[in-house]
Amino acid sequence: MNAVLKPLKPLEAQFEAMTPAWLAAVGRVEQSAYEHPWSQGNFSDSINAGYQAQLLTGGKPPETELLGYFVAMKGADEVHLLNITVAPAHQRQGWARVMLDALAIWSRGQGAQWLWLEVRVSNARAKAVYERYGFRHMGTRRNYYPVTASKREDAIVMSLAL
């Protein structure tokens, strides 16, 4: 038997604002990616508060696919990354870096000098992505993330000079 390999089409990706129309899809990705996901209400509140909430989508309608998203809050001279998620089916393909690039560009355009985030102590993959990007460990927030109803996990605070 001879197998004929068909070349894969490169995935066309673009950013777009997170809107209420996307919240169900965002919620499905969030549920599949985390043990303690944000609720659709958390995302809705972020949109309503005017936070920078961006989707990374791939393909063209009607086959548009949600690759990932991020939510960030602007402060006086800094931006705080609240959530960044790559859909599990698209992880380990460089999309987190693409989103961090977009966030850094937007943050600089807002006059921010620093980008801040928290990451679970146990999330080695995310810490490695952030460190490769240039984020540095600045401290620890004790008992920041829920693990169970009675147990919590520390967060590492990281920052990136813009």
Side-chain angles (χ1 to χ4, degrees), residues 50-91:
Y51 293 170
Q52 178 69 350
Q54 290 289 305
L55 305 173
L56 179 63
T57 60
K60 293 189 176 189
E63 284 102 33
T64 303
E65 188 174 0
L66 181 58
L67 304 176
Y69 47 85
F70 67 83
V71 177
M73 176 179 65
K74 183 184 178 309
D77 65 348
E78 63 188 37
V79 169
H80 191 131
L81 178 60
L82 303 173
N83 185 318
I84 184 169
T85 303
V86 176
H90 299 287
Q91 290 178 0

Side-chain angles (χ1 to χ4, degrees), residues 74-79 104-114 162:
K74 183 184 178 309
D77 65 348
E78 63 188 37
V79 169
I105 290 167
W106 177 81
S107 298
R108 285 183 186 109
Q110 300 298 305
Q113 296 178 25
W114 295 95
L162 298 171

Side-chain angles (χ1 to χ4, degrees), residues 10-15 56-59 66-70 84-87 89-102 129:
L11 186 62
E12 295 181 21
Q14 57 277 328
F15 283 97
L56 179 63
T57 60
L66 181 58
L67 304 176
Y69 47 85
F70 67 83
I84 184 169
T85 303
V86 176
H90 299 287
Q91 290 178 0
R92 298 181 187 258
Q93 298 173 28
W95 296 120
R97 179 156 188 107
V98 169
M99 289 191 289
L100 288 170
D101 284 344
V129 168

Side-chain angles (χ1 to χ4, degrees), residues 111-152:
Q113 296 178 25
W114 295 95
L115 188 52
W116 292 88
L117 61 83
E118 290 88 14
V119 60
R120 286 180 183 269
V121 168
S122 63
N123 194 341
R125 273 181 48 199
K127 286 188 296 188
V129 168
Y130 300 139
E131 287 168 355
R132 278 194 307 273
Y133 198 82
F135 281 87
R136 297 294 169 247
H137 183 154
M138 302 303 288
T140 302
R141 293 192 198 281
R142 300 281 175 220
N143 301 314
Y144 188 75
Y145 288 109
V147 176
T148 66
S150 61
K151 186 176 177 188
R152 300 187 68 83

